[in-house]
Amino acid sequence: MSISSHIPTNDTSIWTSLKQAIAASSGFQHWASQLTTLEQSDLNLDARVQRYLRETLETLAY
């Protein structure tokens, strides 16, 4: 095996792709539609996705 076949994956690019996929999902879209305009404007996409994931996991754990 050559070294080039083991190129390390960039965590930032994985998070970016995952964040975009989550933001495009119907569950996220529904959740985001329930946020107030102020909440939407105060939180960047990264923060909204993190909040969505946290709230979803809290709901599942309940």
Side-chain angles (χ1 to χ4, degrees):
M1 287 187 186
S2 69
I3 293 174
S4 63
S5 66
H6 294 305
I7 299 171
T9 306
N10 183 333
D11 289 344
T12 302
S13 66
I14 291 173
W15 171 242
T16 299
S17 296
L18 183 58
K19 178 174 53 177
Q20 291 170 348
I22 292 168
S25 73
S26 61
F28 179 86
Q29 294 294 319
H30 176 73
W31 173 86
S33 72
Q34 296 178 14
L35 294 177
T36 65
T37 304
L38 182 59
E39 287 174 312
Q40 290 181 17
S41 64
D42 281 351
L43 299 174
N44 62 29
L45 180 60
D46 191 69
R48 287 193 311 262
V49 169
Q50 288 182 26
R51 180 174 164 186
Y52 168 73
L53 291 173
R54 183 178 59 252
E55 290 179 12
T56 300
L57 289 172
E58 286 171 355
T59 300
L60 290 172
Y62 182 72

